[in-house]
Amino acid sequence: MDYRNGHRRMALFLVCLAVLISLSCATRPSISRQKLQVDKHLKRLNKSPIKTIESPDGDIIDCVPISQQPAFDHPFLKDHKIQTRPSYHPEGLFDDNKVSKGPKQRSNLMTQLFHMNGKCSEGSIPIRRTKKEDVLRASSVKRYGKKKHRSIPKPRSADPDLINQSGHQHAIAYVEGDKYYGAKATINVWEPKIQQPNEFSLSQIWVLGGSFGEDLNSIEAGWQVSPDLYGDNNTRLFTYWTSDAYQATGCYNLLCSGFIQVNSEVAMGASISPVSAFRNSQYDISILVWKDPKEGHWWMQFGNDYVLGYWPSFLFSYLADSASMIEWGGEVVNSEPDGQHTATQMGSGRFPEEGFGKASYFRNIHVVDSTNNLKSPKELGTFTEQSNCYDVQTGNNEDWGHYFYYGGPGRNPNCP
Ligand SMILES: *[C@@H]1O[C@H](CO)[C@@H](O)[C@H](O)[C@H]1NC(C)=O
Ligand SMILES: *[C@@H]1O[C@H](CO)[C@@H](O)[C@H](O)[C@H]1NC(C)=O
């Protein structure tokens, strides 16, 4: 080797080393350090696909071999044997298609938008690819895909100020005081308007374990509009879990390791289409979450046909046994833009009094009891922080069983 050339290379190497050291020693993360972090995170989240589908809404859906999904990055799941199906379904499973419907109410016709351009094959699962922009919109790489702390609705809170301070507003129905092993509901799907990109509007089921302390366990599923998380205003199917009140554990969808997906057709975080229109066609989705009495894992089913996958019971403390509370309803973030209440809508953006075709609903509300049976709850409690902004009204009839209308426009003359 030419001596001088080697010398030059050595010098170059030292310069590079110096640059690298100064980069990693910088107290504030520099742009390039952040870029490295983002790239590393993207590499962790986005697994090598065997096929890629471009959705009309701009999403990229990767078909990833089932054994290579993010769940298996979890140290506890290294030797986990995938359950391809639950050992048991709850008894008395209610078929929503049997419900007599008004001419304009359609269930389960819903598809995910990306199906227009293809599907994943058996043995692989569709995963919404995380783009660089998605991560950059988060407050930090670490917080990407996570809910903010203290966003849980706690009915009859001892500290009402805390509820209002958190900026999250709810209109929910709930049951408590028993051991629950699952929950089900059929949820009307809308596309509420979001005033600020850092706000969101969602409609979901919460399966909760523990008191509302730092170790609260929660499994959540429903639909949401969240510009920060997804970069648009589309209504999307989502799940969430945490075992420490939204602190270090858990995330939306498959954005961390935990949930094990087995379904090859439905992508979490993908857009739902079509959505309901005011005084026009109504669409709804049904969601069932239940604890498999044999293996103890918490499963999720979407519609009558899609068993999506499961949360292994070891992810949780309280929920490893049972849930102590179930909630159904809406949540929005009120960031008080311009010092006033946000105009971000919940549900359809209409108050419950307006009823079918105008206000959003949850119908056929059930819980799963200790004998693995779907039961109508004895009584539904309701909770809302400011009923002049978002409200909830329960009812009960033969077709819909326990149901409620919920939501509202946010800012209005009575909610300044
Ligand atoms: C989302 O909706 C808001 C208004 O509700 C609008 O200002 C914004 O441009 C929309 N964002 C996208 C990405 O379409
Ligand atoms: C939240 O604040 C509003 C307005 O200050 C108040 O009317 C409402 O009662 C509060 N809610 C709770 C649960 O304290």
Side-chain angles (χ1 to χ4, degrees), residues 85-107:
R85 63 175 74 91
S87 307
Y88 296 97
H89 263 85
E91 302 288 327
L93 201 55
F94 184 86
D95 185 352
D96 292 286
N97 293 325
K98 286 198 199 117
V99 174
S100 56
K101 290 174 196 133
K104 287 195 165 165
Q105 180 193 337
R106 299 179 201 163
S107 306

Side-chain angles (χ1 to χ4, degrees), residues 158-302:
D159 189 357
D161 286 347
L162 195 68
I163 296 178
N164 268 346
Q165 261 173 26
S166 80
H168 290 245
Q169 303 243 304
H170 307 85
I172 60 161
Y174 66 92
V175 293
E176 63 178 343
D178 209 341
K179 285 187 165 196
Y180 307 99
Y181 296 83
K184 186 172 190 280
T186 298
I187 313 174
N188 199 192
V189 182
W190 292 83
E191 195 178 279
K193 292 249 176 318
I194 312 296
Q195 191 186 339
Q196 298 273 111
N198 64 343
E199 299 179 335
F200 63 65
S201 179
L202 54 76
S203 297
Q204 66 166 69
I205 300 176
W206 285 260
V207 175
L208 298 163
S211 49
F212 286 75
E214 300 288 303
D215 55 357
L216 181 82
N217 288 192
S218 184
I219 288 177
E220 307 172 17
W223 59 256
Q224 67 179 167
V225 179
S226 178
D228 254 3
L229 189 57
Y230 302 106
D232 62 22
N233 295 319
N234 291 355
T235 301
R236 292 162 179 278
L237 175 72
F238 82 95
T239 58
Y240 199 91
W241 70 274
T242 177
S243 60
D244 64 353
Y246 308 95
Q247 299 177 81
T249 62
C251 60
Y252 283 110
N253 307 327
L254 300 179
L255 295 175
C256 63
S257 50
F259 186 82
I260 299 173
Q261 181 161 342
V262 298
N263 187 281
S264 62
E265 293 188 64
V266 176
M268 298 220 269
S271 300
I272 297 176
S273 169
V275 297
S276 305
F278 187 68
R279 288 175 180 270
N280 212 318
S281 298
Q282 298 300 301
Y283 297 92
D284 51 29
I285 57 173
S286 48
I287 287 181
L288 165 67
V289 174
W290 81 103
K291 193 175 199 310
D292 185 328
K294 184 152 172 263
E295 309 287 343
H297 305 321
W298 287 89
W299 285 81
M300 174 179 163
Q301 178 169 312
F302 175 58

